[in-house]
Amino acid sequence: MSRPPASSPTVSSVMRKVGSRNTGPEIAIRQFLFARGLRYRVQYRPGDVDIGRATIDIAFPGKRVAVFIDGCFWHGCPVHGTGSQGQRRLVAGEARREPGTGDSP
């Protein structure tokens, strides 16, 4: 599936810098788990379950446990998200492509 072009060079530059793995929250959680003796897989894509394009941020395959660590941006968080029209459009598009990934706790 091809992606639409960025709306401007500035948007393209910003989105290119957005990390998709090894983010601060991911690293903090992985350090916490590892320090307690738990072993896991990172950016795991299970072969027996269809999760679309997504990968599991932290997986415990033997226990069949998946941990997804999503930032505020993709959930449209009113506190930490930008709330811009561009962000709302991106979040809405993500929700259409990946049902269930935009659900916040």
Side-chain angles (χ1 to χ4, degrees):
M1 172 204 285
S2 66
R3 296 174 187 236
S7 59
S8 74
T10 302
V11 170
S12 178
S13 174
V14 168
M15 292 305 292
R16 213 177 5 257
K17 294 175 186 174
V18 174
S20 62
R21 62 191 306 173
N22 297 327
T23 63
E26 279 186 41
I27 291 171
I29 291 170
R30 291 193 325 236
Q31 288 174 340
F32 176 86
L33 295 171
F34 193 87
R36 281 148 186 82
L38 297 170
R39 300 301 179 253
Y40 47 83
R41 300 209 181 197
V42 177
Q43 299 296 318
Y44 185 70
R45 190 174 301 223
D48 59 341
V49 179
D50 181 21
I51 58 172
R53 299 182 314 170
T55 57
I56 299 169
D57 295 320
I58 299 173
F60 299 91
K63 302 289 185 187
R64 298 185 59 86
V65 173
V67 179
F68 293 93
I69 304 166
D70 296 327
C72 291
F73 182 88
W74 292 113
H75 293 285
C77 174
V79 176
H80 303 106
T82 64
S84 69
Q85 181 180 359
Q87 179 193 12
R88 288 191 295 273
R89 190 172 53 248
L90 284 169
V91 171
E94 180 72 11
R96 280 193 304 277
R97 282 190 304 278
E98 309 254 350
T101 58
D103 299 336
S104 290

